[in-house]
Amino acid sequence: MSPMITVTNLTKRYGDVLAVDNVSFQAPPGSVTGFLGPNGAGKSTTMRCAVELTPATSGEVTILGQRYRDLPNPAARVGILLDASAQHAGRTGREVLTLGAMTLGAPKARVDEVLQLVGLTPKEAKARVGTYSLGMRQRLGIGHALLGNPEVLILDEPANGLDPHGIHWMRGLLRGFADAGGTVLLSSHLLHEVQLIADRIVMIGRGRIVADGTVDELIADHGNLEDMFLERTATTSREGFAA
Amino acid sequence: MTADLTPTHPSDQTGTEMTSTQPVAADPMAHPLTQMAARPAPKVELLKPTTVFDRVGFGSLVKVEMRKFLDTRAGAWLLGIGLASAVGIALICAVFYRQLTEITGTSWTMLAGFVGFGVQLLVPVMVILMFTTEWTQRTTLTTFSLEPRRGRVVAAKGVVAVAVALALWLFQYGMAAVGSAIGGAVHHIDVDWSMDWKILAGSLAAYIMSMAMAAGFGMLFMNTAAAIVTYMALPMVVSTLGLAGSKVQAVLNWVDLSTASVPLLLGEWKANDGWQLLTASLIWVVLPVVLGTWRYLRTEAK
Ligand SMILES: Nc1ncnc2c1ncn2[C@@H]1O[C@H](COP(=O)(O)OP(=O)(O)OP(=O)(O)O)[C@@H](O)[C@H]1O
Ligand SMILES: [Mg+2]
């Protein structure tokens, strides 16, 4: 089946910083693609370029065969969570979902379905997002991504702040989503978690691809993802933590 | 980490990863979202596919922006205070109606200037917030993911600003009528109810212009404090420059929007008034809106 996310020669330059340097990879349907790399490697920038929140310097990203902005009702087909903290502190969780549902055209009942799915209680849903813990914001963000009928999920560190129940739940959710034919691109620093969840890995360091393949292929020589990560990114990671 | 934590990991069954996949839309029951939440109570739940729009309509963008305009505490308070002040001022005017009419005459429209004082101060702040909080609260990430064609979002916000201007204008004149009716009845004064369409239309135009100016400043600064301070203070600073002498004032007549809009509110136009209003609104309204829109459409959302 043809890939659902195709990144082609994507470059993003900030002044003299090359945040993303000629990156190409694909995320196929029916699988979870883990997007890994040290801090500042360019993962978030790549994801923002994919949904055109950040204009790329060159190259392009297509999702479901089109540029994101050319998809009619794009957020109904592509669920996005880039930063759970990026919500108006003065709105309630329910209000945030309601605004999303109104834009996508999902019925009001969808908001309740989603709240229940991500495990936010009715009382929590009525509270302002400013009072939420990080994990609650993350749940709200995941819920927002699921408001439409997404076939693709693009999630930037969604497990960040989730409790063990939440992480376990999300693992099941993403697995079920991919097994039903969905496409997941997921960035994370939780390598053990990624090893459990992901089918494929794309790894970048200082804006460049350093590894791309199935989890099984990539850990064949190392036994686990962490050792593989530390080796592949040894030359691109920050200094100061060297053993 | 143990393998039994992994729910049916396809790569455990060699060779099944890519072959077992099906088109997503083919069977609604095979939809991905079939999992449950572990919090607060782990109960199995099926999230069914939902109906959605084929495309995001401009009408729903306007509805959503209107709702966002009012759904925060700041928005509700500002509007509430503005409206309450209009009611309060109208009643005060009614109480002192005799003294007022001795100065301003008995036309019902003359109350509108007083009644609108609070609204005209606070509602531009709401319009500024509508544009700036997207950046300060970083909701642009959501807003521009839902509608990546940012021009449509800006246009929807613009429609909201104009709709608000229209609604407040109606409210202001409505309260002016109420205040005049009460004042006239209590003080036994014959209110002049004639409609001066020039003044009514002119004040509506002034309303819309101040909303557009607020929108432009909000987009240009993308920062609430900077936009509000500039929106409020800069015109005043420019006006006071006129104290420097009549030569400066002669130039300012073409620049200062507050003096240039006076004919709009009085309905009396002299020789150059139209042209002065044009140049002043080009500077204060058109320029900020054009530059602000350009910035709003291009700035990276992160
Ligand atoms: N607006 C900007 N101006 C200058 N440099 C920027 C800007 N935004 C991002 N960068 C740089 O781009 C690089 C990539 O950042 P990015 O946020 O994509 O990394 P990341 O892989 O998501 O890191 P993390 O794991 O810490 O989230 C970093 O070096 C960062 O400093
Ligand atoms: Mg990041």
Side-chain angles (χ1 to χ4, degrees):
Chain A
M1 205 176 203
S2 61
M4 287 299 160
I5 305 176
T6 304
V7 179
T8 313
N9 302 119
L10 184 72
T11 295
K12 176 63 191 180
R13 181 184 282 283
Y14 291 106
D16 54 3
V17 179
L18 252 186
V20 179
D21 185 1
N22 200 29
V23 159
S24 301
F25 67 88
Q26 298 175 338
S31 67
V32 176
T33 301
F35 194 26
L36 309 181
N39 293 135
K43 303 179 296 295
S44 300
T45 306
T46 302
M47 288 175 151
R48 283 199 313 274
C49 287
V51 296
E52 293 171 63
L53 291 169
T54 292
T57 305
S58 63
E60 70 161 13
V61 182
T62 59
I63 304 176
L64 298 163
Q66 294 181 66
R67 281 181 53 181
Y68 183 75
R69 63 157 56 232
D70 293 330
L71 290 167
N73 206 350
R77 300 188 65 194
V78 185
I80 298 162
L81 173 57
L82 294 181
D83 187 339
S85 299
Q87 285 300 349
H88 197 300
R91 291 200 178 103
T92 66
R94 170 179 293 279
E95 180 68 12
V96 168
L97 294 179
T98 303
L99 291 168
M102 281 172 73
T103 315
L104 299 175
K108 278 259 158 67
R110 183 65 167 184
V111 171
D112 293 296
E113 284 174 33
V114 158
L115 281 168
Q116 203 170 5
L117 182 89
V118 300
L120 287 173
T121 65
K123 198 171 162 216
E124 289 168 337
K126 267 192 242 157
R128 292 182 304 134
V129 177
T131 67
Y132 280 23
S133 69
L134 175 58
M136 287 164 69
R137 284 172 203 230
Q138 211 69 265
R139 286 167 187 269
L140 181 67
I142 294 167
H144 196 277
L146 298 175
L147 273 174
N149 292 317
E151 295 148 66
V152 176
L153 288 174
I154 297 180
L155 309 173
D156 195 357
E157 299 190 37
N160 196 2
L162 285 186
D163 59 29
H165 282 297
I167 292 184
H168 181 80
W169 163 76
M170 199 178 66
R171 191 189 303 143
L173 175 88
L174 297 184
R175 189 70 261 152
F177 184 86
D179 288 348
T183 306
V184 182
L185 180 65
L186 162 89
S187 86
S188 180
H189 292 299
L190 307 174
L191 297 182
H192 296 292
E193 192 50 42
V194 172
Q195 191 173 339
L196 287 176
I197 248 179
D199 308 299
R200 305 180 52 83
I201 299 290
V202 173
M203 194 176 291
I204 61 173
R206 294 219 184 117
R208 293 193 184 187
I209 301 277
V210 296
D212 183 353
T214 67
V215 173
D216 296 345
E217 280 165 24
L218 291 176
I219 66 173
D221 298 340
H222 300 275
N224 71 59
L225 204 51
E226 184 170 2
D227 290 344
M228 184 264 169
F229 181 93
L230 293 175
E231 188 201 287
R232 291 289 177 109
T233 59
T235 55
T236 59
S237 68
R238 288 156 188 279
E239 298 183 358
F241 292 129
Chain B
M1 288 284 156
T2 50
D4 62 12
L5 280 175
T6 319
T8 60
H9 196 298
S11 53
D12 293 338
Q13 307 137 30
T14 325
T16 60
E17 297 105 316
M18 294 298 110
T19 49
S20 64
T21 59
Q22 295 154 6
V24 169
D27 172 12
M29 295 316 290
H31 196 272
L33 310 178
T34 54
Q35 298 299 313
M36 53 149 222
R39 178 180 183 275
K43 72 178 148 175
V44 179
E45 156 148 10
L46 213 84
L47 189 65
K48 299 169 287 295
T50 175
T51 54
V52 290
F53 294 139
D54 289 338
R55 49 190 64 246
V56 179
F58 187 67
S60 41
L61 287 179
V62 172
K63 256 195 250 162
V64 165
E65 290 302 334
M66 181 59 94
R67 189 169 167 131
K68 282 157 77 176
F69 188 74
L70 300 168
D71 73 0
T72 61
R73 279 192 188 173
W77 273 105
L78 287 170
L79 189 64
I81 293 172
L83 296 183
S85 77
V87 175
I89 296 171
L91 293 179
I92 293 171
C93 287
V95 171
F96 297 103
Y97 198 64
R98 178 162 301 280
Q99 291 93 321
L100 263 182
T101 49
E102 278 161 13
I103 308 166
T104 59
T106 58
S107 168
W108 71 281
T109 54
M110 70 88 190
L111 276 202
F114 300 106
V115 167
F117 177 76
V119 177
Q120 283 169 5
L121 200 67
L122 296 178
V123 177
V125 173
M126 288 180 73
V127 172
I128 287 174
L129 286 172
M130 169 164 62
F131 286 92
T132 55
T133 55
E134 293 273 5
W135 299 92
T136 56
Q137 302 276 340
R138 301 177 54 230
T139 45
T140 45
L141 258 65
T142 305
T143 305
F144 296 154
S145 300
L146 288 164
E147 178 47 277
R149 288 168 293 176
R150 297 186 189 182
R152 300 180 87 215
V153 175
V154 170
K157 286 182 188 290
V159 169
V160 170
V162 171
V164 166
L166 186 64
L168 291 177
W169 174 82
L170 283 172
F171 182 76
Q172 179 180 344
Y173 277 90
M175 287 317 297
V178 169
S180 304
I182 298 174
V186 171
H187 295 275
H188 308 293
I189 294 169
D190 274 338
V191 179
D192 172 8
W193 288 108
S194 60
M195 291 291 211
D196 189 335
W197 291 108
K198 255 196 210 158
I199 291 183
L200 290 176
S203 69
L204 178 59
Y207 247 116
I208 292 174
M209 271 164 52
S210 70
M211 297 301 164
M213 179 172 154
F217 278 61
M219 290 193 286
L220 203 52
F221 289 101
M222 296 183 176
N223 171 297
T224 309
I228 291 176
V229 169
T230 317
Y231 175 87
M232 304 265 179
L234 196 58
M236 280 195 244
V237 171
V238 169
S239 298
T240 47
L241 288 180
L243 300 175
S246 58
K247 279 212 182 113
V248 182
Q249 186 57 53
V251 177
L252 282 188
N253 287 339
W254 296 84
V255 174
D256 186 347
L257 188 59
S258 55
T259 54
S261 354
V262 169
L264 271 181
L265 305 174
L266 295 183
E268 293 159 14
W269 296 80
K270 294 193 297 296
N272 280 330
D273 283 354
W275 295 108
Q276 288 175 350
L277 181 61
L278 183 71
T279 55
S281 48
L282 278 176
I283 294 169
W284 291 98
V285 180
V286 178
L287 194 65
V289 166
V290 170
L291 291 181
T293 304
W294 182 78
R295 190 164 182 226
Y296 218 79
L297 299 190
R298 289 180 47 99
T299 303
E300 173 182 29
K302 62 181 298 189

